[in-house]
Amino acid sequence: HVLLSAKNGEAYYLHSTSKRVRKLSGFGPNPDGTYTVGFNPGVSIKDATGTSGADAMSKVQTGLTPGSYVTAVGWDRDRGTEGSTKRIILGTSIGELYEYALVSPNASSKSSGGSGVASSSGGADESKSKLSAFDARAGELGIDTDEEPIDSPVLLRRLNPMASSPVSGGGRASNAIMADGGSSGVVGGILFQRMIGGVGGIAGRQDNAGKEGGGYVVVLASFGGAHKHTRLHSFRSEPSRSNKELTLRSAFLRTAQGAGKGSFVELPGSVEFPDLCSCNNAFAMRTETGIYYGTIERMASAASVGGGVVDAGMLVYDSVLGNGGRGGSCVPSSIGVTPHHFITLNSGNEVRFINREARKVIQKER
């Protein structure tokens, strides 16, 4: 699956079996400059929480805010298949998070939805073989796997609460701006994981029917920009005893226990694009001062804290790269992470491998 994003807000989808791209609804303007197709202004799912059922969803914005475009994608590595990405998260140039899904043009409901019922035992085996390991186990546990299609992106959260309200569905829009007149921050990267009993590390819990289950959803999103605060936002659902509640949106729905409220860590300095990358459960984020790193927590309980992140720390550039300290030439253009190394790329096209334990550069390449 390939998602192509243009600065005018348009987005296109290309599948490995296709020979041409397809324009997606709810992204960018119509040919006449209006936003009448796929865009309905409204509030985020977080702000709609507490309103009853259908009425709540009618207030939620669908389609990207005019003047914004996609800058980051949080893929579902557990459940995505060749036929469908399943639910994914999109980040935008004005600090908004959306829920979306991409489905192959050649996918059937059985291969993309993962919940179709075959007409014969042989067909059932074939259908099950097309599921991801997560979906196969989730089906056994009776988990709601968010299979309903999404025609336009659904607004989950605005990371920048000062962002101005979008124009009405039929209006024209200039660049999306903050209420104070300055351009808002950008989402630089998104990570999310679902943890369920027997799949993601919370084993031994049981739902109301006595089946093993429970778990939670955690989402990380980097936010920043030139002359903007650099932040790592985290969202986590309540540890659930009900398998049916383990959905992507549960991380953004407010509850009496505080789930969905979210939290963030503000980091020193600012960078134009706050890269966020991961390897297994570890993540690394590029800031002006250093590489902020940590681990996504695999086990959870009602008493656990930290927004799903543990073992967090900062690898200061000046301590390993030198050349200028904070804000100087040592700030890398891009970063990466492996199980044992941080990787940096500087403006001189030099790649450096930093041992995560020794916190020293062990190799340089050009």
Side-chain angles (χ1 to χ4, degrees):
H1 306 279
V2 178
L3 180 66
L4 305 173
S5 172
K7 280 196 171 183
N8 68 350
E10 293 180 350
Y12 298 84
Y13 174 51
L14 176 65
H15 189 263
S16 58
T17 61
S18 303
K19 295 184 178 180
R20 62 179 63 183
V21 297
R22 173 169 60 91
K23 188 179 185 301
L24 300 174
S25 175
F27 296 84
N30 303 318
D32 62 358
T34 62
Y35 290 79
T36 56
V37 178
F39 173 70
N40 292 295
V43 300
S44 68
I45 280 183
K46 176 190 80 73
D47 295 327
T49 304
T51 311
S52 60
D55 186 37
M57 287 308 299
S58 68
K59 297 180 179 180
V60 174
Q61 176 175 317
T62 58
L64 259 62
T65 298
S68 66
Y69 58 92
V70 175
T71 56
V73 181
W75 301 100
D76 191 336
R77 299 178 182 179
D78 291 319
R79 301 186 54 237
T81 65
E82 183 180 358
S84 171
T85 62
K86 304 302 171 64
R87 296 298 170 91
I88 59 176
I89 305 177
L90 306 179
T92 72
S93 57
I94 60 170
E96 294 178 331
L97 299 178
Y98 291 83
E99 182 182 32
Y100 197 55
L102 294 168
V103 179
S104 163
N106 303 319
S108 65
S109 60
K110 295 176 184 177
S111 60
S112 63
S115 58
V117 179
S119 59
S120 65
S121 59
D125 292 339
E126 181 181 355
S127 178
K128 186 173 181 179
S129 68
K130 295 179 180 179
L131 303 181
S132 67
F134 187 102
D135 273 337
R137 180 65 174 137
E140 295 173 6
L141 297 177
I143 292 175
D144 182 357
T145 51
D146 295 337
E147 300 300 349
E148 294 182 5
I150 299 180
D151 294 328
S152 295
V154 178
L155 181 61
L156 293 170
R157 182 78 177 225
R158 291 187 172 100
L159 300 183
N160 180 11
M162 296 180 66
S164 60
S165 300
V167 298
S168 61
R172 294 177 182 269
S174 59
N175 291 334
I177 59 174
M178 290 170 47
D180 64 358
S183 60
S184 54
V186 60
V187 177
I190 304 170
L191 304 174
F192 83 88
Q193 290 191 20
R194 297 176 178 144
M195 315 294 187
I196 68 174
V199 177
I202 306 182
R205 308 191 76 173
Q206 293 187 338
D207 63 10
N208 296 331
K211 296 181 180 180
E212 182 186 9
Y216 68 102
V217 177
V218 61
V219 175
L220 304 181
S222 62
F223 174 84
H227 311 296
K228 303 296 177 184
H229 294 295
T230 302
R231 296 171 177 170
L232 179 66
H233 289 259
S234 61
F235 305 92
R236 198 182 73 184
S237 65
E238 288 294 329
S240 171
R241 294 185 181 277
S242 171
N243 291 327
K244 295 291 184 181
E245 297 174 2
L246 193 61
T247 64
L248 172 59
R249 292 184 186 181
S250 65
F252 298 91
L253 298 177
R254 291 184 296 181
T255 68
Q257 292 73 31
K261 182 179 180 180
S263 61
F264 65 83
V265 176
E266 188 161 310
L267 302 163
S270 65
V271 289
E272 186 172 350
F273 195 83
D275 308 51
L276 179 65
C277 51
S278 68
C279 180
N280 299 328
N281 296 329
F283 70 85
M285 176 178 169
R286 186 174 71 99
T287 75
E288 185 180 13
T289 303
I291 298 175
Y292 182 70
Y293 62 87
T295 303
I296 298 177
E297 189 178 17
R298 296 295 294 182
M299 302 294 289
S301 66
S304 74
V305 296
V309 174
V310 294
D311 302 327
M314 178 75 79
L315 178 68
V316 180
Y317 299 135
D318 198 34
S319 66
V320 291
L321 301 179
N323 301 326
R326 179 181 176 220
S329 59
C330 67
V331 178
S333 303
S334 182
I335 64 170
V337 62
T338 75
H340 305 291
H341 307 90
F342 295 117
I343 304 172
T344 65
L345 171 67
N346 64 24
S347 57
N349 291 327
E350 181 182 67
V351 178
R352 299 189 184 190
F353 295 83
I354 305 168
N355 184 283
R356 288 170 54 177
E357 294 296 328
R359 302 169 74 90
K360 294 181 178 179
V361 176
I362 61 171
Q363 185 176 342
K364 301 179 182 179
E365 292 184 3
R366 283 187 179 275

